[in-house]
mmCIF file of all heavy atoms in Angstrom:
data_model
loop_
_atom_site.group_PDB
_atom_site.id
_atom_site.type_symbol
_atom_site.label_atom_id
_atom_site.label_comp_id
_atom_site.label_asym_id
_atom_site.label_seq_id
_atom_site.Cartn_x
_atom_site.Cartn_y
_atom_site.Cartn_z
ATOM 1 N N SER A 51 15.957 0.295 -5.224
ATOM 2 C CA SER A 51 16.416 -0.186 -3.924
ATOM 3 C C SER A 51 17.639 -1.080 -4.074
ATOM 4 O O SER A 51 17.647 -1.984 -4.913
ATOM 5 C CB SER A 51 15.278 -0.957 -3.249
ATOM 6 O OG SER A 51 15.574 -1.217 -1.915
ATOM 7 N N PRO A 52 18.687 -0.862 -3.268
ATOM 8 C CA PRO A 52 19.917 -1.641 -3.393
ATOM 9 C C PRO A 52 19.859 -3.001 -2.688
ATOM 10 O O PRO A 52 20.756 -3.815 -2.873
ATOM 11 C CB PRO A 52 20.963 -0.746 -2.716
ATOM 12 C CG PRO A 52 20.181 -0.008 -1.676
ATOM 13 C CD PRO A 52 18.823 0.231 -2.299
ATOM 14 N N ASP A 53 18.802 -3.268 -1.920
ATOM 15 C CA ASP A 53 18.707 -4.532 -1.189
ATOM 16 C C ASP A 53 17.857 -5.535 -1.984
ATOM 17 O O ASP A 53 17.743 -5.421 -3.194
ATOM 18 C CB ASP A 53 18.160 -4.299 0.223
ATOM 19 C CG ASP A 53 16.731 -3.777 0.222
ATOM 20 O OD1 ASP A 53 16.145 -3.578 -0.867
ATOM 21 O OD2 ASP A 53 16.189 -3.580 1.318
ATOM 22 N N LYS A 54 17.270 -6.501 -1.307
ATOM 23 C CA LYS A 54 16.490 -7.542 -1.983
ATOM 24 C C LYS A 54 15.017 -7.184 -2.136
ATOM 25 O O LYS A 54 14.180 -8.041 -2.428
ATOM 26 C CB LYS A 54 16.632 -8.850 -1.209
ATOM 27 C CG LYS A 54 18.036 -9.381 -1.235
ATOM 28 C CD LYS A 54 18.166 -10.655 -0.448
ATOM 29 C CE LYS A 54 19.617 -11.107 -0.527
ATOM 30 N NZ LYS A 54 20.039 -11.815 0.655
ATOM 31 N N SER A 55 14.681 -5.926 -1.969
ATOM 32 C CA SER A 55 13.281 -5.506 -2.090
ATOM 33 C C SER A 55 12.703 -5.846 -3.463
ATOM 34 O O SER A 55 11.553 -6.270 -3.562
ATOM 35 C CB SER A 55 13.142 -4.008 -1.823
ATOM 36 O OG SER A 55 13.419 -3.697 -0.474
ATOM 37 N N SER A 56 13.469 -5.662 -4.534
ATOM 38 C CA SER A 56 12.976 -5.956 -5.893
ATOM 39 C C SER A 56 12.561 -7.411 -6.026
ATOM 40 O O SER A 56 11.509 -7.714 -6.594
ATOM 41 C CB SER A 56 14.049 -5.649 -6.935
ATOM 42 O OG SER A 56 14.163 -4.274 -7.132
ATOM 43 N N ALA A 57 13.378 -8.317 -5.526
ATOM 44 C CA ALA A 57 13.060 -9.745 -5.615
ATOM 45 C C ALA A 57 11.803 -10.071 -4.814
ATOM 46 O O ALA A 57 10.953 -10.863 -5.255
ATOM 47 C CB ALA A 57 14.238 -10.578 -5.120
ATOM 48 N N ILE A 58 11.651 -9.456 -3.664
ATOM 49 C CA ILE A 58 10.460 -9.663 -2.842
ATOM 50 C C ILE A 58 9.231 -9.165 -3.598
ATOM 51 O O ILE A 58 8.202 -9.853 -3.666
ATOM 52 C CB ILE A 58 10.611 -8.962 -1.481
ATOM 53 C CG1 ILE A 58 11.724 -9.630 -0.668
ATOM 54 C CG2 ILE A 58 9.292 -8.974 -0.707
ATOM 55 C CD1 ILE A 58 12.169 -8.840 0.556
ATOM 56 N N LEU A 59 9.326 -7.973 -4.182
ATOM 57 C CA LEU A 59 8.205 -7.412 -4.943
ATOM 58 C C LEU A 59 7.818 -8.312 -6.120
ATOM 59 O O LEU A 59 6.638 -8.557 -6.364
ATOM 60 C CB LEU A 59 8.560 -6.018 -5.462
ATOM 61 C CG LEU A 59 8.665 -4.914 -4.424
ATOM 62 C CD1 LEU A 59 9.237 -3.657 -5.062
ATOM 63 C CD2 LEU A 59 7.307 -4.639 -3.782
ATOM 64 N N GLU A 60 8.801 -8.806 -6.840
ATOM 65 C CA GLU A 60 8.530 -9.667 -7.991
ATOM 66 C C GLU A 60 7.809 -10.939 -7.566
ATOM 67 O O GLU A 60 6.888 -11.403 -8.241
ATOM 68 C CB GLU A 60 9.828 -9.986 -8.733
ATOM 69 C CG GLU A 60 10.382 -8.789 -9.473
ATOM 70 C CD GLU A 60 11.808 -8.981 -9.982
ATOM 71 O OE1 GLU A 60 12.372 -10.089 -9.822
ATOM 72 O OE2 GLU A 60 12.356 -8.005 -10.522
ATOM 73 N N GLY A 61 8.194 -11.500 -6.428
ATOM 74 C CA GLY A 61 7.525 -12.688 -5.911
ATOM 75 C C GLY A 61 6.070 -12.408 -5.575
ATOM 76 O O GLY A 61 5.179 -13.196 -5.909
ATOM 77 N N TYR A 62 5.804 -11.295 -4.925
ATOM 78 C CA TYR A 62 4.433 -10.926 -4.588
ATOM 79 C C TYR A 62 3.613 -10.625 -5.840
ATOM 80 O O TYR A 62 2.439 -10.981 -5.909
ATOM 81 C CB TYR A 62 4.401 -9.730 -3.633
ATOM 82 C CG TYR A 62 4.489 -10.146 -2.191
ATOM 83 C CD1 TYR A 62 5.713 -10.382 -1.584
ATOM 84 C CD2 TYR A 62 3.335 -10.313 -1.423
ATOM 85 C CE1 TYR A 62 5.794 -10.775 -0.264
ATOM 86 C CE2 TYR A 62 3.410 -10.707 -0.101
ATOM 87 C CZ TYR A 62 4.636 -10.941 0.478
ATOM 88 O OH TYR A 62 4.708 -11.339 1.789
ATOM 89 N N GLU A 63 4.221 -9.992 -6.818
ATOM 90 C CA GLU A 63 3.501 -9.690 -8.056
ATOM 91 C C GLU A 63 3.103 -10.985 -8.767
ATOM 92 O O GLU A 63 1.987 -11.105 -9.276
ATOM 93 C CB GLU A 63 4.357 -8.816 -8.973
ATOM 94 C CG GLU A 63 3.637 -8.384 -10.240
ATOM 95 C CD GLU A 63 4.517 -7.555 -11.151
ATOM 96 O OE1 GLU A 63 5.701 -7.893 -11.336
ATOM 97 O OE2 GLU A 63 4.002 -6.561 -11.683
ATOM 98 N N ARG A 64 3.988 -11.985 -8.763
ATOM 99 C CA ARG A 64 3.683 -13.279 -9.380
ATOM 100 C C ARG A 64 2.553 -13.988 -8.638
ATOM 101 O O ARG A 64 1.673 -14.583 -9.249
ATOM 102 C CB ARG A 64 4.917 -14.183 -9.388
ATOM 103 C CG ARG A 64 5.822 -14.008 -10.575
ATOM 104 C CD ARG A 64 6.852 -15.122 -10.689
ATOM 105 N NE ARG A 64 7.652 -15.279 -9.483
ATOM 106 C CZ ARG A 64 8.732 -14.561 -9.186
ATOM 107 N NH1 ARG A 64 9.153 -13.638 -10.028
ATOM 108 N NH2 ARG A 64 9.404 -14.768 -8.071
ATOM 109 N N ARG A 65 2.571 -13.939 -7.299
ATOM 110 C CA ARG A 65 1.573 -14.642 -6.492
ATOM 111 C C ARG A 65 0.226 -13.930 -6.448
ATOM 112 O O ARG A 65 -0.804 -14.573 -6.235
ATOM 113 C CB ARG A 65 2.083 -14.834 -5.062
ATOM 114 C CG ARG A 65 3.182 -15.864 -4.954
ATOM 115 C CD ARG A 65 3.506 -16.225 -3.520
ATOM 116 N NE ARG A 65 3.905 -15.113 -2.673
ATOM 117 C CZ ARG A 65 5.143 -14.644 -2.548
ATOM 118 N NH1 ARG A 65 6.124 -15.194 -3.232
ATOM 119 N NH2 ARG A 65 5.402 -13.645 -1.742
ATOM 120 N N SER A 66 0.225 -12.619 -6.620
ATOM 121 C CA SER A 66 -1.020 -11.845 -6.488
ATOM 122 C C SER A 66 -1.189 -10.840 -7.621
ATOM 123 O O SER A 66 -1.339 -9.644 -7.390
ATOM 124 C CB SER A 66 -1.027 -11.111 -5.150
ATOM 125 O OG SER A 66 -0.946 -12.003 -4.084
ATOM 126 N N PRO A 67 -1.188 -11.318 -8.865
ATOM 127 C CA PRO A 67 -1.299 -10.381 -9.989
ATOM 128 C C PRO A 67 -2.647 -9.657 -10.036
ATOM 129 O O PRO A 67 -2.769 -8.639 -10.704
ATOM 130 C CB PRO A 67 -1.097 -11.266 -11.225
ATOM 131 C CG PRO A 67 -1.536 -12.626 -10.782
ATOM 132 C CD PRO A 67 -1.169 -12.708 -9.314
ATOM 133 N N ASP A 68 -3.640 -10.182 -9.318
ATOM 134 C CA ASP A 68 -4.939 -9.524 -9.288
ATOM 135 C C ASP A 68 -4.928 -8.272 -8.423
ATOM 136 O O ASP A 68 -5.815 -7.434 -8.538
ATOM 137 C CB ASP A 68 -6.013 -10.491 -8.791
ATOM 138 C CG ASP A 68 -5.690 -11.112 -7.446
ATOM 139 O OD1 ASP A 68 -4.489 -11.254 -7.128
ATOM 140 O OD2 ASP A 68 -6.630 -11.452 -6.711
ATOM 141 N N HIS A 69 -3.922 -8.124 -7.569
ATOM 142 C CA HIS A 69 -3.840 -6.951 -6.695
ATOM 143 C C HIS A 69 -2.550 -6.150 -6.855
ATOM 144 O O HIS A 69 -2.571 -4.934 -6.793
ATOM 145 C CB HIS A 69 -3.947 -7.358 -5.220
ATOM 146 C CG HIS A 69 -5.330 -7.666 -4.786
ATOM 147 N ND1 HIS A 69 -6.333 -6.726 -4.721
ATOM 148 C CD2 HIS A 69 -5.896 -8.822 -4.397
ATOM 149 C CE1 HIS A 69 -7.447 -7.289 -4.303
ATOM 150 N NE2 HIS A 69 -7.214 -8.569 -4.113
#
Side-chain angles (χ1 to χ4, degrees):
S51 191
D53 64 359
K54 294 179 180 149
S55 292
S56 284
I58 294 167
L59 290 171
E60 289 168 4
Y62 273 84
E63 184 182 43
R64 273 192 305 276
R65 288 190 302 273
S66 300
D68 55 332
H69 283 294

